Amino acid sequence: MEASGNHTSPALPVPQTRKAIEDEIARYLNHVFDLRSRLNTFAPISVLPPEVLSEVFMRMAGPSSYSLPPPWSNSPYGWICISHVCRHWRNVALGCPALWGKLAVTTQHEWTKELLERSKKAPLYVTVDFRTPHARALVRAGGVSPKEKALALVLSHMSRVHSLSITIKRSFPEKILQLLDGPAPCLESLTVRCEDVMHYPGEHDHIHHLLHQPETVRLRHLELHSVYSHWHKTSLPHLTHLTISNKPHHDAIHVAPETMLAAIAQMHHLKELVIESALTAPADYNQVPMASTQASLPNLWSLRLSDTTPNTICLLNHLTTPTLSRIFVEVDSNFQGNCGVISSLP
């Protein structure tokens, strides 16, 4: 005899009886799950078209995602909790490749691989931080850190990277630098930050090569922090934002004011310019450095300078900025003499 209603036949062995009950419970649970899913379709938010719901998810995954309550706010991927709410939300999230294109490279290689697969051919916005003690220990020991493996995987998709931000404590591993040599036709924003000064200029040849590839014509936003660059042979006419900052008292990566002026004079589309402790300290703090280049920046509206007094005067005297609407100037406190008069900016 078979199970009927709430009773089971005593003729069945106990294991088979338990299995029959468990199967029946599973059927009821699946039915309840299905009913709940159907009920969820009547919720006001479920009436939204998938395109609108995807836009809501995109906003949640943006910078405002860090305002989420703990524990989700403790992770760059805390917003993923939205894909666990219900089946419909998960299907919408998985059907939105752009939602998975914002990559904060972690030590989880498999997780990075999964995100790349979900992003399909969507633009990638990559952030990686190599300052963790664990990663540095592996590099010093001659090994390859999990984060390096994950970044190598991401940079293998360099052709669809729109934004790349790399922060490191010390020198870049050669393996990572080589990954920057590939074409980057979609790159619009590049930030390279080194908390300690790089050891020798040759380490930055890969970055210079990336900036000047024929395919890298969409680059508009560039930030270099304590990074050596060949400014005497730099040509980036399409930039709209440039930030250069260095550690004070590290002359090896500083640039002469005349060289800097010659480089930015080619950036006619520049709208924002930030120079902080990036120029070579003058030999005489009572003398403004000589410069022959007059840099005309017709679109510049924001200027921030933080350097020695002579260097600051030199730059301001050789910049033509007819549309400037915001300026911030900070000079060192060691200057005692009179370097001359700063020309009035138009």
Side-chain angles (χ1 to χ4, degrees):
M1 295 179 61
E2 297 180 352
S4 176
N6 295 328
H7 303 279
T8 55
S9 172
L12 289 174
V14 173
Q16 293 183 21
T17 302
R18 291 180 59 87
K19 181 63 167 60
I21 295 174
E22 291 171 352
D23 290 344
E24 190 168 1
I25 291 174
R27 286 195 298 271
Y28 279 121
L29 290 176
N30 287 335
H31 185 59
V32 170
F33 182 81
D34 182 63
L35 289 174
R36 287 178 174 173
S37 296
R38 290 163 58 185
L39 182 62
N40 286 338
T41 62
F42 294 96
I45 196 169
S46 296
V47 181
L48 294 176
E51 295 80 7
V52 176
L53 195 56
S54 294
E55 182 62 28
V56 174
F57 293 168
M58 289 287 293
R59 292 182 178 273
M60 192 172 184
S64 60
S65 62
Y66 290 97
S67 63
L68 292 170
W72 304 291
S73 60
N74 298 328
S75 167
Y77 297 113
W79 59 267
I80 289 182
C81 62
I82 62 178
S83 67
H84 303 154
V85 172
C86 65
R87 182 186 297 176
H88 175 58
W89 282 28
R90 182 168 182 80
N91 289 338
V92 171
L94 293 177
C96 179
L99 186 62
W100 308 95
K102 184 181 177 183
L103 303 178
V105 178
T106 67
T107 57
Q108 302 178 26
H109 180 272
E110 292 302 321
W111 174 235
T112 302
K113 182 179 179 180
E114 179 66 22
L115 288 174
L116 287 169
E117 291 178 354
R118 292 183 183 183
S119 66
K120 298 180 180 178
K121 296 183 179 180
L124 297 179
Y125 302 86
V126 182
T127 302
V128 59
D129 191 334
F130 273 90
R131 292 175 296 180
T132 59
H134 178 61
R136 294 202 305 270
L138 284 176
V139 172
R140 287 196 301 267
V144 178
S145 72
K147 188 171 290 188
E148 283 185 43
K149 292 181 180 179
L151 180 59
L153 179 62
V154 171
L155 294 185
S156 67
H157 295 258
M158 195 68 187
S159 60
R160 60 188 178 104
V161 172
H162 281 231
S163 174
L164 176 61
S165 175
I166 302 179
T167 302
I168 195 168
K169 180 68 175 177
R170 294 186 177 87
S171 177
F172 281 98
E174 180 67 18
K175 299 181 293 296
I176 298 300
L177 291 171
Q178 291 175 354
L179 295 173
L180 297 175
D181 287 344
C186 297
L187 189 64
E188 297 177 349
S189 176
L190 175 65
T191 298
V192 183
R193 179 179 287 103
C194 182
E195 289 201 344
D196 291 344
V197 178
M198 302 285 187
H199 297 298
Y200 55 91
E203 290 181 306
H204 312 287
D205 290 343
H206 296 277
I207 297 174
H208 183 84
H209 181 260
L210 171 65
L211 294 176
H212 291 84
Q213 288 191 61
E215 298 87 354
T216 313
V217 296
R218 298 182 61 177
L219 187 68
R220 298 293 183 269
H221 187 112
L222 176 63
E223 293 188 33
L224 299 177
H225 302 273
S226 295
V227 175
Y228 178 88
S229 184
H230 303 287
W231 291 108
H232 61 285
K233 53 181 180 180
T234 292
S235 177
L236 300 170
H238 303 294
L239 282 188
T240 59
H241 178 101
L242 175 63
T243 293
I244 311 167
S245 72
N246 289 326
K247 303 288 185 181
H249 314 301
H250 288 281
D251 295 335
I253 58 175
H254 286 178
V255 57
E258 168 65 18
T259 304
M260 191 75 258
L261 283 167
I264 63 177
Q266 306 175 54
M267 305 176 188
H268 300 293
H269 297 284
L270 209 59
K271 296 179 180 179
E272 298 180 71
L273 175 61
V274 179
I275 299 178
E276 297 181 337
S277 302
L279 304 178
T280 304
D284 184 356
Y285 269 62
N286 291 311
Q287 183 68 40
V288 176
M290 298 295 294
S292 59
T293 301
Q294 190 69 29
S296 177
L297 303 176
N299 298 296
L300 192 74
W301 65 272
S302 178
L303 174 63
R304 181 183 182 94
L305 297 177
S306 178
D307 212 286
T308 65
T309 303
N311 285 340
T312 301
I313 293 177
C314 177
L315 286 184
L316 292 177
N317 281 339
H318 291 81
L319 288 177
T320 303
T321 56
T323 61
L324 191 67
S325 60
R326 185 173 68 184
I327 182 172
F328 175 87
V329 176
E330 181 181 28
V331 295
D332 60 50
S333 59
N334 296 323
F335 173 68
Q336 301 294 331
N338 179 16
C339 282
V341 181
I342 301 176
S343 64
S344 58
L345 293 172

